[in-house]
Amino acid sequence: MLRWLIGGGREPQGLAEKSPLQTIGEEQTQNPYTELLVLKAHHDIVRFLVQLDDYRFASAGDDGIVVVWNAQTGEKLLELNGHTQKITAIITFPSLESCEEKNQLILTASADRTVIVWDGDTTRQVQRISCFQSTVKCLTVLQRLDVWLSGGNDLCVWNRKLDLLCKTSHLSDTVGKELIIFRLVAPTEGSLEWDILEVKRLLDHQDNILSLINVNDLSFVTGSHVGELIIWDALDWTMQAYERNFWDPSPQLDTQQEIKLCQKSNDISIHHFTCDEENVFAAVGRGLYVYSLQMKRVIACQKTAHDSNVLHVARLPNRQLISCSEDGSVRIWELREKQQLAAEPVPTGFFNMWGFGRVSKQASQPVKKQQENATSCSLELIGDLIGHSSSVEMFLYFEDHGLVTCSADHLIILWKNGERESGLRSLRLFQKLEENGDLYLAV
């Protein structure tokens, strides 16, 4: 494997603590992905990957086409053509468990203001919906109710037959700082109509909300452009925890330095979340942060995990984390426990580890005393996958077939476990020799 040598740009002295980009040598003994397959079908940025089943996935992007692939072999299975502009959202709509006919639908939304419903096993268009007044920017499925939702300037609810069940009134484009809570009312004995009602608006974020994820049935997390992380109660919509980046420019900074510091807000934007039962993993600017849900604090971080903004992060088995970035790299991390030193100062703010602002001795002393014997963690780089020449938009993880990444370089790369693939090739060879009788002849 190649060594990643690109480092981050320099900060003016005194503005921020410089954290060098962590590198790994060519001998990546803990990195299983030593083989790769380059898949070519798109001719523009590939932004989306969605898993269809245990061995298939679909890709989509700015060229308006959807391609279905075999994750095991890298074979192109289907190409779905129908949109005239870039695809803005894609999702699968599986059939219900109780349904005898198991057909999986693929829903795609586009900047051409249409949503197309595809048969996941053929190239057939089930239906095209063209009644939208604006671009549909997100799609989601409520599997238990067997309905799906489209979101843009309106929020619409649809059933499997593509009937519009209900919709909201026009939503303003200026609600980026707000969270709007809706209640979906399903038909009952007293009413046969569906309805969607606005019940509350949460105005606690100071800037546009960039990321949201459900932690469990009781809570969810949101992140904003200015580094705010809020954990919400999913039942009464109150805040369970609030953390953000506090920066306090030193008095001696001149005006130009202050302007430059304000322009660095993208370095603290929370672009993506993933989580498990214990932690929330946040992609913040160029860094990765692990936030403990129980302790309500950051327990591990890599302030400069990549050379550019981290776009996507996911948790792998065995306490591993994977991230991809605008710099074209894909990196694998391992979350390791370590005993925190008693003399080590602990920042009071969520992202004060960035160096923005000063932590006073009075403010840090109580926190330090509480955490002298606390167990903290570290994120250790164990793999660096270099193959893309431009921004890596996202990835999919298949337990049996490897890792799939998509990029602005128009390519999809299927990263394979080299040891596993070598064993499979040997097994297939012996099976073929046995079928032909050559194995016994050789013996």
Side-chain angles (χ1 to χ4, degrees):
M1 302 293 292
L2 297 176
R3 183 178 299 174
W4 187 247
L5 296 175
I6 301 178
R10 296 189 176 186
E11 299 282 356
Q13 187 175 3
L15 281 184
E17 176 190 348
K18 182 60 182 173
S19 180
L21 185 71
Q22 190 174 146
T23 59
I24 189 170
E26 294 179 7
E27 295 297 327
Q28 300 184 30
T29 56
Q30 294 179 276
N31 178 13
Y33 302 112
T34 55
E35 296 185 14
L36 59 87
L37 292 173
V38 179
L39 313 182
K40 298 180 180 179
H42 294 276
H43 51 270
D44 210 329
I45 299 174
V46 188
R47 297 189 187 273
F48 304 104
L49 298 170
V50 61
Q51 185 172 344
L52 303 182
D53 49 39
D54 291 340
Y55 75 96
R56 293 184 307 157
F57 69 94
S59 59
D62 288 6
D63 55 10
I65 66 172
V66 180
V67 182
V68 178
W69 305 87
N70 183 314
Q72 182 178 15
T73 64
E75 176 189 2
K76 177 181 172 181
L77 302 176
L78 300 171
E79 183 173 312
L80 313 179
N81 292 278
H83 289 294
T84 58
Q85 296 186 43
K86 68 179 182 179
I87 290 175
T88 53
I90 179 172
I91 198 169
T92 61
F93 192 5
S95 56
L96 291 173
E97 293 286 338
S98 58
C99 184
E100 293 182 3
E101 186 180 350
K102 299 294 183 183
N103 68 316
Q104 180 166 241
L105 303 177
I106 301 174
L107 281 62
T108 55
S110 169
D112 61 16
R113 297 189 179 184
T114 66
V115 169
I116 298 180
V117 182
W118 310 85
D119 186 316
D121 297 318
T122 70
T123 58
R124 182 175 67 91
Q125 288 189 29
V126 177
Q127 191 167 336
R128 173 191 291 266
I129 305 173
S130 305
C131 59
F132 301 100
Q133 301 301 311
S134 65
T135 299
V136 173
K137 298 177 181 178
C138 62
L139 298 167
T140 191
V141 169
L142 301 180
Q143 190 68 28
R144 184 174 60 86
L145 298 175
D146 201 32
V147 299
W148 59 278
L149 286 71
S150 61
N153 284 352
D154 302 300
L155 181 61
C156 304
V157 183
W158 310 80
N159 64 15
R160 187 175 292 273
K161 297 178 181 179
L162 290 313
D163 299 320
L164 178 61
L165 303 177
C166 56
K167 62 182 292 188
T168 65
S169 57
H170 181 78
L171 299 175
S172 171
D173 291 334
T174 62
V175 297
K177 301 177 185 180
E178 299 178 353
L179 277 175
I180 307 178
I181 308 296
F182 293 96
R183 176 179 286 115
L184 181 60
V185 181
T188 61
E189 293 182 0
S191 173
L192 299 178
E193 299 295 326
W194 289 79
D195 199 3
I196 185 166
L197 306 172
E198 180 181 328
V199 294
K200 193 167 186 178
R201 294 198 176 206
L202 307 178
L203 309 175
D204 299 88
H205 275 291
Q206 301 303 308
D207 207 336
N208 289 342
I209 299 167
L210 302 182
S211 49
L212 182 151
I213 189 172
N214 281 329
V215 176
N216 48 45
D217 291 338
L218 301 177
S219 58
F220 63 96
V221 183
T222 54
S224 77
H225 181 65
V226 293
E228 302 165 295
L229 179 147
I230 300 180
I231 301 176
W232 303 88
D233 188 298
L235 301 180
D236 60 12
W237 311 302
T238 56
M239 283 195 295
Q240 295 180 338
Y242 177 90
E243 300 285 354
R244 68 160 296 171
N245 173 73
F246 297 101
W247 57 271
D248 181 17
S250 301
Q252 64 267 26
L253 293 179
D254 60 29
T255 305
Q256 291 301 317
Q257 286 178 316
E258 289 185 16
I259 293 174
K260 183 173 179 61
L261 186 59
C262 293
Q263 291 173 340
K264 302 295 287 185
S265 61
N266 198 44
D267 284 347
I268 57 173
S269 297
I270 303 179
H271 296 108
H272 194 247
F273 284 128
T274 191
C275 65
D276 57 20
E277 295 177 354
E278 300 176 354
N279 304 306
V280 173
F281 305 91
V284 186
R286 296 177 294 164
L288 295 173
Y289 290 78
V290 183
Y291 182 83
S292 170
L293 293 168
Q294 181 180 6
M295 292 183 278
K296 298 290 191 298
R297 68 178 180 88
V298 173
I299 59 171
C301 76
Q302 275 290 340
K303 290 180 282 186
T304 314
H306 289 263
D307 196 54
S308 298
N309 287 329
V310 181
L311 299 181
H312 196 80
V313 61
R315 188 179 63 86
L316 300 183
N318 302 321
R319 294 178 66 84
Q320 292 182 357
L321 196 68
I322 187 166
S323 58
C324 64
S325 166
E326 292 176 346
D327 62 19
S329 67
V330 181
R331 316 194 96 189
I332 306 172
W333 310 85
E334 186 174 84
L335 185 62
R336 298 174 182 171
E337 291 188 358
K338 66 178 182 179
Q339 192 68 26
Q340 187 169 308
L341 298 176
E344 183 182 345
V346 179
T348 57
F350 181 34
F351 298 128
N352 268 339
M353 287 173 284
W354 282 79
F356 292 115
R358 297 177 174 179
V359 180
S360 66
K361 292 182 180 180
Q362 291 82 1
S364 63
Q365 194 67 26
V367 180
K368 186 169 69 175
K369 284 182 178 180
Q370 294 172 11
Q371 299 176 357
E372 282 182 351
N373 297 318
T375 300
S376 189
C377 301
S378 64
L379 282 172
E380 301 297 330
L381 182 64
I382 63 172
D384 204 351
L385 309 182
I386 306 300
H388 289 290
S389 61
S390 191
S391 172
V392 179
E393 300 296 313
M394 67 170 293
F395 48 80
L396 282 179
Y397 171 73
F398 286 86
E399 184 176 358
D400 296 327
H401 306 305
L403 187 72
V404 186
T405 57
C406 65
S407 171
D409 61 12
H410 311 175
L411 300 178
I412 297 166
I413 295 182
L414 182 56
W415 304 87
K416 292 287 191 176
N417 183 319
E419 185 176 346
R420 177 187 175 91
E421 293 302 307
S422 178
L424 290 174
R425 283 192 294 267
S426 298
L427 180 61
R428 286 193 293 267
L429 176 60
F430 279 113
Q431 289 174 341
K432 189 172 182 179
L433 289 173
E434 187 176 12
E435 289 173 2
N436 296 336
D438 296 336
L439 182 62
Y440 301 106
L441 187 61
V443 174

